[in-house]
């Protein structure tokens, strides 16, 4: 059967599965939020799942990722389970932060996922630092830092990119440019048209890809990862997309022109891959049904698991807490 972008059908179907698992998990959490069963805010990647899934699929297990708040897809690809994701959102003791956080501030160092921190772009210097360690130890590993268009206006972004470029570190900077930083449109926080333009001043290559085309994101990341592993230094990958919901679920995004959303709805990354796979004879109706049913089962199992899990009892509140 056909290969696409060098990927055999099994991998293509896995990518399709991860896209749909991400969407279904987040949709389910939105529902729980509306029912008042989630404690904190809810941040989703609806419409931009291709960026996190496509990029993470191009990495090796020994690489390290520094996700942002819309990168559930990358976390899933790297081994996070729906049970852990749901337990995290419901603040349960079985979640990655053992109930210390109720939304996106989690990671898992065993799977090479750094824990997301709230101040925007603060993880990018950490990703560059990991890459420096890999380079010093001569390990063929790379680090990947994810960030949004708004985050690229913070100093940490500029420091991390400059540092990585000067030292030719094996790190990728992956931007999800979804055109809004909370309610601020791109043109109100950047005087250049592309985040990629910012890389020029630091002397590292930057590429712009269609962030709603998962295979384009995969291919760009794979090429940049190979460069980094070969000692050729960092790359910035700007993925153009659109944030299809509010900044979080408490934000109705009424500041976004409806026509813009309509335009981007037609470019939905899941439907696009589905069409491509059907045309290539890789996805049949039966296979689509099997994947959909598997995802429904997994997500519902995760909701039940989370709801039946205990809340933290408070006894371990100082465990894993460090001060310097
Ligand atoms: C340093 C800092 N300033 C402000 C915030 C509040 N905040 C959280 S997300 C966000 C918008 C970030 O925009 P962008 O990076 O484009 O990501 P998006 O949410 O649009 O996907 C803001 C202002 C923060 N977390 N950290």
């Amino acid at each position: 059967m056909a290969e696409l972008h060098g990927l055999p059908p099994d991998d293509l179907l896995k990518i399709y599965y991860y896209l749909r698992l991400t969407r279904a998990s987040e949709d389910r959490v939105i529902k729980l939020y509306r029912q008042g069963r989630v404690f904190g805010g809810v941040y989703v990647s609806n419409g931009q799942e291709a960026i996190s899934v496509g990029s993470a699929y191009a990495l090796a297990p020994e690489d390290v990722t520094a996700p942002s708040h819309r990168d559930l897809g990358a976390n899933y690809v790297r081994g996070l389970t729906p049970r852990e994701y749901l337990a995290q959102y419901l603040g349960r003791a079985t979640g990655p932060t053992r109930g210390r956080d109720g939304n996106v501030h989690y990671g898992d160092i065993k799977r090479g996922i750094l824990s997301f921190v709230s101040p925007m772009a603060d993880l990018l210097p950490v990703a560059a630092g990991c890459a420096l360690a890999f380079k010093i130890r001569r390990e063929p590993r790379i680090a990947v830092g994810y960030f949004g268009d708004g985050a690229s206006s913070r100093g940490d972004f500029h420091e991390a990119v400059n540092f990585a470029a000067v030292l030719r570190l094996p790190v990728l900077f992956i931007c999800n440019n979804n055109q809004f930083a909370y309610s601020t449109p791109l043109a109100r926080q950047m005087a250049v048209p592309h985040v990629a333009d910012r890389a020029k001043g630091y002397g590292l290559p930057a590429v712009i890809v269609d962030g709603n085309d998962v295979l384009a994101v995969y291919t760009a990341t794979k090429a940049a990862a190979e460069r980094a592993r070969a000692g050729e230094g960092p790359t910035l990958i700007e993925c153009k997309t659109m944030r299809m919901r509010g900044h979080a679920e408490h934000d109705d995004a009424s500041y976004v022109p409806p026509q813009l959303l309509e335009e981007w709805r037609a470019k939905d990354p899941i439907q696009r891959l589905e069409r491509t796979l059907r045309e290539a004879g890789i996805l049949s109706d039966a296979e689509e049904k099997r994947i959909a049913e598997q995802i429904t089962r997994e997500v519902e199992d995760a909701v039940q698991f989370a709801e039946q899990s205990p809340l933290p009892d408070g006894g371990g509140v100082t465990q894993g807490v460090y001060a310097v």
Side-chain angles (χ1 to χ4, degrees):
M1 228 188 273
E3 283 201 348
L4 298 173
H5 291 241
L7 287 164
D10 272 2
D11 284 304
L12 295 161
L13 288 171
K14 262 196 210 149
I15 288 174
Y16 174 68
Y17 159 81
Y18 281 123
L19 289 178
R20 287 193 56 165
L21 177 65
T22 304
R23 171 97 34 110
S25 308
E26 292 183 340
D27 283 353
R28 194 66 178 86
V29 167
I30 291 173
K31 224 182 201 177
L32 292 169
Y33 174 77
R34 302 239 175 277
Q35 293 168 341
R37 287 148 81 191
V38 172
F39 300 117
V42 169
Y43 304 82
V44 300
S45 61
N46 187 296
Q48 57 184 74
E49 300 91 340
I51 301 168
S52 56
V53 170
S55 56
Y57 209 83
L59 304 179
E62 64 271 21
D63 296 334
V64 163
T65 52
S68 192
H69 54 305
R70 301 194 201 284
D71 295 309
L72 172 63
N75 294 341
Y76 271 158
V77 170
R78 298 185 64 76
L80 185 87
T81 65
R83 283 186 169 199
E84 289 168 305
Y85 172 69
L86 262 296
Q88 172 70 13
Y89 256 111
L90 294 187
R92 304 301 159 135
T94 49
T97 60
R98 290 168 286 145
R100 286 168 168 76
D101 177 78
N103 51 78
V104 285
H105 309 95
Y106 65 89
D108 180 358
I109 209 69
K110 289 189 299 299
R111 293 166 176 145
I113 306 170
L114 299 180
S115 200
F116 171 61
V117 292
S118 209
M120 287 292 115
D122 272 16
L123 271 193
L124 298 182
V126 180
C130 291
L132 176 61
F134 301 154
K135 186 171 170 142
I136 290 170
R137 296 189 207 137
R138 295 178 194 280
E139 293 172 355
R141 303 163 73 187
I142 63 168
V144 177
Y146 292 93
F147 61 104
D149 44 294
S152 77
S153 291
R154 284 275 335 284
D156 305 74
F157 162 81
H158 295 271
E159 291 173 22
V161 169
N162 184 57
F163 184 71
V166 169
L167 296 181
R168 289 172 76 86
L169 300 179
V171 55
L172 315 185
F173 298 102
I174 301 188
C175 178
N176 72 73
N177 180 352
N178 61 19
Q179 306 183 50
F180 282 85
Y182 211 127
S183 52
T184 308
L186 201 66
R188 294 299 298 272
Q189 60 102 0
M190 276 174 38
V192 287
H194 310 291
V195 173
D197 295 337
R198 297 184 148 176
K200 282 182 199 143
Y202 299 111
L204 78 162
V207 289
I208 296 177
V209 294
D210 178 345
N212 284 29
D213 179 348
V214 71
L215 299 179
V217 175
Y218 165 82
T219 301
T221 311
K222 186 109 188 132
E226 273 164 22
R227 277 193 67 244
R229 254 186 259 281
E232 289 170 42
T235 304
L236 188 151
I237 302 175
E238 177 181 4
C239 306
K240 302 276 193 192
T241 187
M242 175 68 201
R243 205 185 65 211
M244 299 303 291
R245 299 190 67 85
H247 167 66
E249 288 307 303
H250 57 256
D251 164 24
D252 69 4
S254 46
Y255 46 83
V256 177
Q259 201 191 326
L260 194 57
L261 291 174
E262 277 323 298
E263 220 177 89
W264 282 86
R265 212 175 299 287
K267 303 181 196 168
D268 183 82
I270 300 181
Q271 287 170 14
R272 277 173 73 177
L273 182 65
E274 188 163 326
R275 270 199 304 276
T276 305
L277 296 186
R278 282 182 185 279
E279 277 163 21
I282 292 167
L283 183 69
S284 62
D285 285 349
E287 188 68 2
E288 193 270 335
K289 189 163 172 271
R290 189 191 65 73
I291 291 171
E293 284 171 358
Q294 182 187 336
I295 289 171
T296 304
R297 263 198 317 277
E298 278 185 78
V299 173
E300 287 317 310
D301 164 77
V303 174
Q304 266 191 27
F305 168 80
E307 289 200 316
Q308 287 163 9
S309 292
L311 289 161
D313 64 13
V317 76
T318 57
Q319 276 168 21
V321 177
Y322 302 94
V324 286

PDB file of all heavy atoms in Angstrom, residues 53-82:
ATOM      1  N   VAL A  53       0.909  16.698  17.250  1.00  0.00           N
ATOM      2  CA  VAL A  53       0.994  15.278  16.859  1.00  0.00           C
ATOM      3  C   VAL A  53       2.061  15.083  15.777  1.00  0.00           C
ATOM      4  O   VAL A  53       2.939  14.214  15.896  1.00  0.00           O
ATOM      5  CB  VAL A  53      -0.379  14.756  16.365  1.00  0.00           C
ATOM      6  CG1 VAL A  53      -0.245  13.369  15.736  1.00  0.00           C
ATOM      7  CG2 VAL A  53      -1.386  14.710  17.521  1.00  0.00           C
ATOM      8  N   GLY A  54       2.009  15.899  14.742  1.00  0.00           N
ATOM      9  CA  GLY A  54       2.927  15.721  13.613  1.00  0.00           C
ATOM     10  C   GLY A  54       4.383  15.910  14.016  1.00  0.00           C
ATOM     11  O   GLY A  54       5.268  15.156  13.593  1.00  0.00           O
ATOM     12  N   SER A  55       4.645  16.895  14.876  1.00  0.00           N
ATOM     13  CA  SER A  55       6.033  17.144  15.273  1.00  0.00           C
ATOM     14  C   SER A  55       6.529  16.043  16.208  1.00  0.00           C
ATOM     15  O   SER A  55       7.633  15.517  16.029  1.00  0.00           O
ATOM     16  CB  SER A  55       6.168  18.522  15.922  1.00  0.00           C
ATOM     17  OG  SER A  55       5.288  18.627  17.023  1.00  0.00           O
ATOM     18  N   ALA A  56       5.719  15.686  17.196  1.00  0.00           N
ATOM     19  CA  ALA A  56       6.173  14.671  18.165  1.00  0.00           C
ATOM     20  C   ALA A  56       6.390  13.323  17.488  1.00  0.00           C
ATOM     21  O   ALA A  56       7.252  12.544  17.901  1.00  0.00           O
ATOM     22  CB  ALA A  56       5.172  14.538  19.308  1.00  0.00           C
ATOM     23  N   TYR A  57       5.622  13.062  16.432  1.00  0.00           N
ATOM     24  CA  TYR A  57       5.757  11.772  15.743  1.00  0.00           C
ATOM     25  C   TYR A  57       7.114  11.655  15.047  1.00  0.00           C
ATOM     26  O   TYR A  57       7.586  10.551  14.762  1.00  0.00           O
ATOM     27  CB  TYR A  57       4.609  11.579  14.742  1.00  0.00           C
ATOM     28  CG  TYR A  57       4.287  10.118  14.542  1.00  0.00           C
ATOM     29  CD1 TYR A  57       3.452   9.446  15.432  1.00  0.00           C
ATOM     30  CD2 TYR A  57       4.843   9.389  13.498  1.00  0.00           C
ATOM     31  CE1 TYR A  57       3.182   8.106  15.292  1.00  0.00           C
ATOM     32  CE2 TYR A  57       4.578   8.034  13.349  1.00  0.00           C
ATOM     33  CZ  TYR A  57       3.744   7.406  14.248  1.00  0.00           C
ATOM     34  OH  TYR A  57       3.491   6.058  14.122  1.00  0.00           O
ATOM     35  N   ALA A  58       7.752  12.798  14.808  1.00  0.00           N
ATOM     36  CA  ALA A  58       9.054  12.776  14.115  1.00  0.00           C
ATOM     37  C   ALA A  58      10.223  12.618  15.091  1.00  0.00           C
ATOM     38  O   ALA A  58      11.372  12.609  14.670  1.00  0.00           O
ATOM     39  CB  ALA A  58       9.215  14.080  13.317  1.00  0.00           C
ATOM     40  N   LEU A  59       9.934  12.518  16.395  1.00  0.00           N
ATOM     41  CA  LEU A  59      11.009  12.462  17.386  1.00  0.00           C
ATOM     42  C   LEU A  59      11.321  11.032  17.801  1.00  0.00           C
ATOM     43  O   LEU A  59      10.539  10.110  17.549  1.00  0.00           O
ATOM     44  CB  LEU A  59      10.613  13.274  18.629  1.00  0.00           C
ATOM     45  CG  LEU A  59      10.233  14.737  18.379  1.00  0.00           C
ATOM     46  CD1 LEU A  59       9.845  15.409  19.683  1.00  0.00           C
ATOM     47  CD2 LEU A  59      11.365  15.487  17.688  1.00  0.00           C
ATOM     48  N   ALA A  60      12.462  10.884  18.484  1.00  0.00           N
ATOM     49  CA  ALA A  60      12.838   9.577  19.031  1.00  0.00           C
ATOM     50  C   ALA A  60      12.475   9.559  20.515  1.00  0.00           C
ATOM     51  O   ALA A  60      12.406  10.618  21.149  1.00  0.00           O
ATOM     52  CB  ALA A  60      14.347   9.382  18.853  1.00  0.00           C
ATOM     53  N   PRO A  61      12.260   8.353  21.077  1.00  0.00           N
ATOM     54  CA  PRO A  61      11.850   8.295  22.492  1.00  0.00           C
ATOM     55  C   PRO A  61      12.835   8.974  23.442  1.00  0.00           C
ATOM     56  O   PRO A  61      12.437   9.499  24.472  1.00  0.00           O
ATOM     57  CB  PRO A  61      11.777   6.790  22.780  1.00  0.00           C
ATOM     58  CG  PRO A  61      11.702   6.130  21.456  1.00  0.00           C
ATOM     59  CD  PRO A  61      12.337   7.038  20.453  1.00  0.00           C
ATOM     60  N   GLU A  62      14.112   8.975  23.089  1.00  0.00           N
ATOM     61  CA  GLU A  62      15.110   9.559  24.008  1.00  0.00           C
ATOM     62  C   GLU A  62      15.191  11.094  23.917  1.00  0.00           C
ATOM     63  O   GLU A  62      15.916  11.718  24.678  1.00  0.00           O
ATOM     64  CB  GLU A  62      16.496   8.932  23.774  1.00  0.00           C
ATOM     65  CG  GLU A  62      17.102   9.190  22.408  1.00  0.00           C
ATOM     66  CD  GLU A  62      16.711   8.135  21.368  1.00  0.00           C
ATOM     67  OE1 GLU A  62      15.680   7.434  21.566  1.00  0.00           O
ATOM     68  OE2 GLU A  62      17.412   8.026  20.348  1.00  0.00           O
ATOM     69  N   ASP A  63      14.465  11.696  22.996  1.00  0.00           N
ATOM     70  CA  ASP A  63      14.459  13.156  22.901  1.00  0.00           C
ATOM     71  C   ASP A  63      13.632  13.740  24.050  1.00  0.00           C
ATOM     72  O   ASP A  63      12.913  13.021  24.747  1.00  0.00           O
ATOM     73  CB  ASP A  63      13.879  13.592  21.546  1.00  0.00           C
ATOM     74  CG  ASP A  63      14.756  13.129  20.384  1.00  0.00           C
ATOM     75  OD1 ASP A  63      15.973  12.935  20.610  1.00  0.00           O
ATOM     76  OD2 ASP A  63      14.230  12.954  19.271  1.00  0.00           O
ATOM     77  N   VAL A  64      13.737  15.052  24.204  1.00  0.00           N
ATOM     78  CA  VAL A  64      13.015  15.717  25.295  1.00  0.00           C
ATOM     79  C   VAL A  64      12.096  16.785  24.702  1.00  0.00           C
ATOM     80  O   VAL A  64      12.501  17.519  23.791  1.00  0.00           O
ATOM     81  CB  VAL A  64      14.024  16.351  26.282  1.00  0.00           C
ATOM     82  CG1 VAL A  64      13.365  17.389  27.170  1.00  0.00           C
ATOM     83  CG2 VAL A  64      14.675  15.279  27.140  1.00  0.00           C
ATOM     84  N   THR A  65      10.875  16.862  25.214  1.00  0.00           N
ATOM     85  CA  THR A  65       9.960  17.911  24.753  1.00  0.00           C
ATOM     86  C   THR A  65       9.636  18.853  25.902  1.00  0.00           C
ATOM     87  O   THR A  65       9.557  18.433  27.057  1.00  0.00           O
ATOM     88  CB  THR A  65       8.633  17.328  24.203  1.00  0.00           C
ATOM     89  OG1 THR A  65       8.080  16.433  25.171  1.00  0.00           O
ATOM     90  CG2 THR A  65       8.838  16.606  22.899  1.00  0.00           C
ATOM     91  N   ALA A  66       9.434  20.104  25.545  1.00  0.00           N
ATOM     92  CA  ALA A  66       8.982  21.109  26.509  1.00  0.00           C
ATOM     93  C   ALA A  66       7.661  21.638  25.967  1.00  0.00           C
ATOM     94  O   ALA A  66       7.638  22.575  25.167  1.00  0.00           O
ATOM     95  CB  ALA A  66      10.019  22.227  26.617  1.00  0.00           C
ATOM     96  N   PRO A  67       6.568  21.017  26.366  1.00  0.00           N
ATOM     97  CA  PRO A  67       5.286  21.388  25.756  1.00  0.00           C
ATOM     98  C   PRO A  67       4.744  22.706  26.292  1.00  0.00           C
ATOM     99  O   PRO A  67       5.164  23.183  27.337  1.00  0.00           O
ATOM    100  CB  PRO A  67       4.357  20.236  26.177  1.00  0.00           C
ATOM    101  CG  PRO A  67       4.951  19.701  27.436  1.00  0.00           C
ATOM    102  CD  PRO A  67       6.433  19.952  27.354  1.00  0.00           C
ATOM    103  N   SER A  68       3.797  23.263  25.563  1.00  0.00           N
ATOM    104  CA  SER A  68       3.069  24.434  26.034  1.00  0.00           C
ATOM    105  C   SER A  68       1.630  23.988  26.338  1.00  0.00           C
ATOM    106  O   SER A  68       1.361  22.793  26.441  1.00  0.00           O
ATOM    107  CB  SER A  68       3.142  25.535  24.978  1.00  0.00           C
ATOM    108  OG  SER A  68       2.686  26.752  25.538  1.00  0.00           O
ATOM    109  N   HIS A  69       0.728  24.954  26.455  1.00  0.00           N
ATOM    110  CA  HIS A  69      -0.624  24.585  26.906  1.00  0.00           C
ATOM    111  C   HIS A  69      -1.522  23.996  25.824  1.00  0.00           C
ATOM    112  O   HIS A  69      -2.627  23.587  26.116  1.00  0.00           O
ATOM    113  CB  HIS A  69      -1.308  25.763  27.591  1.00  0.00           C
ATOM    114  CG  HIS A  69      -1.344  27.029  26.780  1.00  0.00           C
ATOM    115  ND1 HIS A  69      -0.208  27.615  26.247  1.00  0.00           N
ATOM    116  CD2 HIS A  69      -2.371  27.831  26.415  1.00  0.00           C
ATOM    117  CE1 HIS A  69      -0.553  28.723  25.597  1.00  0.00           C
ATOM    118  NE2 HIS A  69      -1.850  28.863  25.682  1.00  0.00           N
ATOM    119  N   ARG A  70      -1.048  23.943  24.563  1.00  0.00           N
ATOM    120  CA  ARG A  70      -1.888  23.328  23.518  1.00  0.00           C
ATOM    121  C   ARG A  70      -1.184  22.147  22.864  1.00  0.00           C
ATOM    122  O   ARG A  70      -1.267  21.942  21.665  1.00  0.00           O
ATOM    123  CB  ARG A  70      -2.264  24.374  22.460  1.00  0.00           C
ATOM    124  CG  ARG A  70      -3.023  25.547  23.050  1.00  0.00           C
ATOM    125  CD  ARG A  70      -3.710  26.431  22.053  1.00  0.00           C
ATOM    126  NE  ARG A  70      -3.962  27.723  22.651  1.00  0.00           N
ATOM    127  CZ  ARG A  70      -4.930  27.996  23.533  1.00  0.00           C
ATOM    128  NH1 ARG A  70      -5.775  27.053  23.883  1.00  0.00           N
ATOM    129  NH2 ARG A  70      -5.065  29.196  24.051  1.00  0.00           N
ATOM    130  N   ASP A  71      -0.476  21.366  23.651  1.00  0.00           N
ATOM    131  CA  ASP A  71       0.326  20.282  23.084  1.00  0.00           C
ATOM    132  C   ASP A  71      -0.028  18.904  23.630  1.00  0.00           C
ATOM    133  O   ASP A  71       0.834  18.028  23.740  1.00  0.00           O
ATOM    134  CB  ASP A  71       1.819  20.585  23.293  1.00  0.00           C
ATOM    135  CG  ASP A  71       2.225  21.822  22.508  1.00  0.00           C
ATOM    136  OD1 ASP A  71       1.921  21.872  21.301  1.00  0.00           O
ATOM    137  OD2 ASP A  71       2.784  22.753  23.098  1.00  0.00           O
ATOM    138  N   LEU A  72      -1.309  18.707  23.944  1.00  0.00           N
ATOM    139  CA  LEU A  72      -1.730  17.388  24.414  1.00  0.00           C
ATOM    140  C   LEU A  72      -1.342  16.311  23.405  1.00  0.00           C
ATOM    141  O   LEU A  72      -0.918  15.213  23.772  1.00  0.00           O
ATOM    142  CB  LEU A  72      -3.256  17.359  24.643  1.00  0.00           C
ATOM    143  CG  LEU A  72      -3.828  15.982  24.957  1.00  0.00           C
ATOM    144  CD1 LEU A  72      -3.271  15.420  26.257  1.00  0.00           C
ATOM    145  CD2 LEU A  72      -5.362  16.024  25.006  1.00  0.00           C
ATOM    146  N   GLY A  73      -1.481  16.628  22.112  1.00  0.00           N
ATOM    147  CA  GLY A  73      -1.168  15.641  21.074  1.00  0.00           C
ATOM    148  C   GLY A  73       0.260  15.120  21.195  1.00  0.00           C
ATOM    149  O   GLY A  73       0.516  13.924  21.069  1.00  0.00           O
ATOM    150  N   ALA A  74       1.201  16.041  21.471  1.00  0.00           N
ATOM    151  CA  ALA A  74       2.605  15.623  21.615  1.00  0.00           C
ATOM    152  C   ALA A  74       2.757  14.741  22.850  1.00  0.00           C
ATOM    153  O   ALA A  74       3.476  13.740  22.835  1.00  0.00           O
ATOM    154  CB  ALA A  74       3.509  16.846  21.712  1.00  0.00           C
ATOM    155  N   ASN A  75       2.077  15.106  23.919  1.00  0.00           N
ATOM    156  CA  ASN A  75       2.181  14.309  25.145  1.00  0.00           C
ATOM    157  C   ASN A  75       1.628  12.900  24.912  1.00  0.00           C
ATOM    158  O   ASN A  75       2.203  11.916  25.379  1.00  0.00           O
ATOM    159  CB  ASN A  75       1.444  15.004  26.294  1.00  0.00           C
ATOM    160  CG  ASN A  75       2.101  16.315  26.671  1.00  0.00           C
ATOM    161  OD1 ASN A  75       3.268  16.552  26.348  1.00  0.00           O
ATOM    162  ND2 ASN A  75       1.366  17.189  27.346  1.00  0.00           N
ATOM    163  N   TYR A  76       0.534  12.803  24.175  1.00  0.00           N
ATOM    164  CA  TYR A  76      -0.022  11.479  23.856  1.00  0.00           C
ATOM    165  C   TYR A  76       0.966  10.651  23.026  1.00  0.00           C
ATOM    166  O   TYR A  76       1.198   9.484  23.313  1.00  0.00           O
ATOM    167  CB  TYR A  76      -1.338  11.619  23.087  1.00  0.00           C
ATOM    168  CG  TYR A  76      -2.577  11.702  23.956  1.00  0.00           C
ATOM    169  CD1 TYR A  76      -3.759  12.267  23.462  1.00  0.00           C
ATOM    170  CD2 TYR A  76      -2.601  11.191  25.250  1.00  0.00           C
ATOM    171  CE1 TYR A  76      -4.909  12.336  24.235  1.00  0.00           C
ATOM    172  CE2 TYR A  76      -3.752  11.260  26.036  1.00  0.00           C
ATOM    173  CZ  TYR A  76      -4.903  11.831  25.523  1.00  0.00           C
ATOM    174  OH  TYR A  76      -6.041  11.889  26.288  1.00  0.00           O
ATOM    175  N   VAL A  77       1.530  11.287  22.011  1.00  0.00           N
ATOM    176  CA  VAL A  77       2.484  10.554  21.159  1.00  0.00           C
ATOM    177  C   VAL A  77       3.644  10.027  21.997  1.00  0.00           C
ATOM    178  O   VAL A  77       4.168   8.942  21.776  1.00  0.00           O
ATOM    179  CB  VAL A  77       3.002  11.454  20.007  1.00  0.00           C
ATOM    180  CG1 VAL A  77       4.158  10.790  19.260  1.00  0.00           C
ATOM    181  CG2 VAL A  77       1.875  11.788  19.034  1.00  0.00           C
ATOM    182  N   ARG A  78       4.029  10.779  23.022  1.00  0.00           N
ATOM    183  CA  ARG A  78       5.168  10.387  23.855  1.00  0.00           C
ATOM    184  C   ARG A  78       4.782   9.450  24.989  1.00  0.00           C
ATOM    185  O   ARG A  78       5.611   9.102  25.823  1.00  0.00           O
ATOM    186  CB  ARG A  78       5.903  11.624  24.359  1.00  0.00           C
ATOM    187  CG  ARG A  78       6.476  12.432  23.181  1.00  0.00           C
ATOM    188  CD  ARG A  78       7.299  13.585  23.609  1.00  0.00           C
ATOM    189  NE  ARG A  78       8.484  13.175  24.331  1.00  0.00           N
ATOM    190  CZ  ARG A  78       9.576  12.663  23.775  1.00  0.00           C
ATOM    191  NH1 ARG A  78       9.624  12.494  22.469  1.00  0.00           N
ATOM    192  NH2 ARG A  78      10.606  12.338  24.499  1.00  0.00           N
ATOM    193  N   GLY A  79       3.498   9.080  25.046  1.00  0.00           N
ATOM    194  CA  GLY A  79       3.120   8.008  25.968  1.00  0.00           C
ATOM    195  C   GLY A  79       2.151   8.356  27.074  1.00  0.00           C
ATOM    196  O   GLY A  79       1.735   7.481  27.843  1.00  0.00           O
ATOM    197  N   LEU A  80       1.771   9.634  27.197  1.00  0.00           N
ATOM    198  CA  LEU A  80       0.750   9.969  28.191  1.00  0.00           C
ATOM    199  C   LEU A  80      -0.522   9.182  27.860  1.00  0.00           C
ATOM    200  O   LEU A  80      -0.813   8.951  26.680  1.00  0.00           O
ATOM    201  CB  LEU A  80       0.456  11.476  28.142  1.00  0.00           C
ATOM    202  CG  LEU A  80      -0.507  11.963  29.223  1.00  0.00           C
ATOM    203  CD1 LEU A  80       0.266  12.293  30.499  1.00  0.00           C
ATOM    204  CD2 LEU A  80      -1.295  13.202  28.767  1.00  0.00           C
ATOM    205  N   THR A  81      -1.272   8.774  28.876  1.00  0.00           N
ATOM    206  CA  THR A  81      -2.496   8.020  28.604  1.00  0.00           C
ATOM    207  C   THR A  81      -3.717   8.900  28.857  1.00  0.00           C
ATOM    208  O   THR A  81      -3.661   9.838  29.658  1.00  0.00           O
ATOM    209  CB  THR A  81      -2.589   6.781  29.516  1.00  0.00           C
ATOM    210  OG1 THR A  81      -2.717   7.235  30.879  1.00  0.00           O
ATOM    211  CG2 THR A  81      -1.368   5.886  29.384  1.00  0.00           C
ATOM    212  N   PRO A  82      -4.855   8.569  28.201  1.00  0.00           N
ATOM    213  CA  PRO A  82      -6.085   9.320  28.476  1.00  0.00           C
ATOM    214  C   PRO A  82      -6.462   9.280  29.960  1.00  0.00           C
ATOM    215  O   PRO A  82      -6.956  10.259  30.502  1.00  0.00           O
ATOM    216  CB  PRO A  82      -7.132   8.608  27.613  1.00  0.00           C
ATOM    217  CG  PRO A  82      -6.349   8.010  26.491  1.00  0.00           C
ATOM    218  CD  PRO A  82      -5.031   7.613  27.089  1.00  0.00           C
TER     219      PRO A  82
END
